[in-house]
Amino acid sequence: MLPSLAKVGLEAVVEAGAGAQAGYTDADFAAKGAKIVPDRAEVFRLSEIVVQVLAHGANDRNGSGDLPLFHREQILIGFLRPMGSAQTVQDIAERGVTSFSMELMPRITRAQSMDALSAMATIAGYKAVILAADTLPRFFPMLTTAAGTITPGRVLILGVGVAGLQAIATARRLGAVVSAYDVRPAVKEQVQSLGARFVELAIEAKDAQDARGYATAQDESFYRRQRELLGKVIAENDVVITTAVVPGKKAPILVTKEMVAGMAPGSVIVDLAAERGGNCEYTRSGEMVVEHGVTIIGSINLASTVPYHASQMYAKNLATFLLLLVKDGKVQLNMKDEIIRDTLVTQGGEVANPRLREFFAMPALAAKEEAPK
Ligand code: NAD
């Protein structure tokens, strides 16, 4: 992506060793014109724009270590987990940084090549199936062998967004019999077009989908009824991959302890909602646990386990976004552009995103300015 950035007048500074674990050497970056700088603080000092994968807010391990390195008016682009904590967003605002969150990218056609959530969800859906196949003590495909016929594995996908669709496609390629369910009836056709069966439950979600295509939160009585109906379907499957989330909310529980007990020993659950509280009652974020003989995998950030292609896809997302922000080598924030407006998190020392301010019950900015001193 570096040559396309150079064309608009951007020079790249790369922290030494940044790509090493993903299979990209410093020499690769240097060959494309990047300057390699050994000291992380120096990278921040030299840069007008900082692009990161997990920035403060999304990086619980050492993201806060970057806060002192930012300088005022600097631009930060990355995963910020903006709805995770008002504090981390405030921390970034207080540094005077103009930050953009890749999580807030609008789901519009023009933004598709900048949609990093979709890129990472594609990887997570693929890898969830690979993990399940590796853990399951059975084959996925049907096999006709001299030692008899092997019946195919049965895989159920709960939540059919980007990750769920990729999980269906991958499990089908491995030869499993796949079924899938989602609260949004609109996905039925997509499920069927991938050769999976759509599970119909005798309940209907109210306004299942919002204007942006995301699932809407339902009341507890809906989730209770959903669990009652799902129990039997879950018990019929060897593998359950769950991806069900609702923006800004804890993930709904779809697989209870009782349902796990009802599965055949050796079955596998991969819970892609683990980071958001999990879809299974037994899920422990970032861990693998075994209960009633069923393995429940709560891995987080699965995209990082396919780092070569995750980097390639994320680089494309970031580069396209940068080309939108930069004209003639200068950052020009066109606030009339919904992509720039929606992804902007902090500016001028404030949390500047109205949707986030509302989410965190912060007073609207204009009203605050008008308030008497
Ligand atoms: P997501 O990660 O927000 O959620 C995953 C899935 O879980 C969704 O399909 C959701 O409906 C489902 N879900 C939530 N609660 C559930 C419950 N109780 N039971 C069962 N399923 C439940 O989803 P996503 O991958 O971000 O995709 C959301 C939508 O946006 C999809 O329709 C996707 O195709 C669409 N999308 C559009 C674009 C674009 O047009 N550029 C880009 C990406 C995604």
Side-chain angles (χ1 to χ4, degrees):
M1 296 303 139
L2 294 181
S4 64
L5 298 181
K7 266 195 212 144
V8 296
L10 289 176
E11 287 170 33
V13 178
V14 176
E15 184 185 3
Q21 290 185 6
Y24 302 93
T25 65
D26 288 350
D28 293 336
F29 290 115
K32 299 277 181 194
K35 179 175 175 176
I36 308 297
V37 173
D39 179 31
R40 187 175 178 87
E42 184 68 0
V43 175
F44 278 72
R45 199 185 64 75
L46 288 172
S47 308
E48 203 182 321
I49 304 173
V50 175
V51 293
Q52 293 193 293
V53 183
L54 303 184
H56 179 54
N59 178 349
D60 301 323
R61 215 163 356 134
N62 49 15
S64 61
D66 288 338
L67 285 173
L69 307 183
F70 287 118
H71 51 82
R72 299 201 80 74
E73 310 291 324
Q74 197 165 35
I75 291 184
L76 166 68
I77 306 168
F79 284 112
L80 267 62
R81 206 191 291 151
M83 290 180 171
S85 135
Q87 186 57 52
T88 55
V89 176
Q90 291 276 21
D91 291 344
I92 294 171
E94 277 161 24
R95 298 296 301 149
V97 172
T98 302
S99 63
F100 293 90
S101 150
M102 293 305 274
E103 291 96 331
L104 298 179
M105 190 62 69
R107 253 82 194 271
I108 55 173
T109 309
R110 194 165 54 90
Q112 266 181 8
S113 53
M114 307 174 214
D115 186 352
L117 273 188
S118 287
M120 299 306 117
T122 300
I123 302 176
Y126 159 81
K127 198 61 194 273
V129 174
I130 303 298
L131 280 179
D134 191 32
T135 310
L136 190 72
R138 307 169 59 108
F139 276 120
F140 263 38
M142 188 187 102
L143 295 178
T144 310
T145 78
T149 301
I150 307 287
T151 54
R154 285 153 304 180
V155 176
L156 172 69
I157 315 288
L158 296 178
V160 193
V162 180
L165 285 172
Q166 187 56 48
I168 295 175
T170 307
R172 289 275 301 145
R173 283 187 197 117
L174 284 178
V177 172
V178 184
S179 50
Y181 164 76
D182 199 291
V183 270
R184 295 179 299 114
V187 302
K188 179 176 171 179
E189 253 176 60
Q190 297 168 18
V191 168
Q192 290 171 340
S193 72
L194 288 170
R197 185 174 69 87
F198 187 71
V199 175
E200 313 252 10
L201 299 186
I203 34 163
E204 214 173 286
K206 223 168 71 218
D207 303 324
Q209 183 165 322
D210 69 12
R212 290 173 301 135
Y214 287 107
T216 50
Q218 302 294 317
D219 58 19
E220 191 39 46
S221 71
F222 175 89
Y223 289 131
R224 201 179 322 114
R225 181 85 185 111
Q226 194 182 35
R227 286 192 290 267
E228 281 166 19
L229 295 168
L230 274 176
K232 191 167 161 285
V233 187
I234 287 171
E236 287 166 357
N237 282 276
D238 306 308
V239 169
V240 178
I241 293 174
T242 68
T243 80
V245 293
V246 176
K249 297 259 185 306
K250 192 181 165 297
I253 291 291
L254 304 180
V255 186
T256 59
K257 292 182 175 178
E258 211 183 349
M259 291 182 205
V260 174
M263 293 180 83
S267 300
V268 179
I269 298 172
V270 183
D271 190 342
L272 290 184
E275 199 175 351
R276 303 271 295 276
N279 291 140
C280 172
E281 261 183 324
Y282 277 126
T283 297
R284 283 220 287 271
S285 182
E287 291 180 33
M288 186 192 278
V289 296
V290 179
E291 300 285 350
H292 307 283
V294 176
T295 304
I296 301 121
I297 300 174
S299 300
I300 53 171
N301 196 10
L302 273 183
S304 70
T305 65
V306 188
Y308 183 87
H309 282 125
S311 301
Q312 190 177 308
M313 293 164 94
Y314 189 54
K316 171 72 182 172
N317 299 144
L318 287 175
T320 318
F321 187 54
L322 281 168
L323 295 179
L324 185 78
L325 289 186
V326 177
K327 298 274 170 293
D328 306 321
K330 287 266 159 288
V331 175
Q332 292 178 17
L333 297 189
N334 172 13
M335 294 306 284
K336 291 206 181 95
D337 185 326
E338 100 177 269
I339 296 178
I340 295 177
R341 214 173 45 230
D342 284 10
T343 51
L344 179 72
V345 173
T346 64
Q347 192 180 31
E350 301 270 15
V351 176
N353 186 303
R355 192 174 142 215
L356 280 184
R357 293 194 73 90
E358 198 187 322
F359 181 75
F360 288 125
M362 296 172 177
L365 272 185
K368 199 175 158 204
E369 274 159 22
E370 281 159 22
K373 296 239 162 84

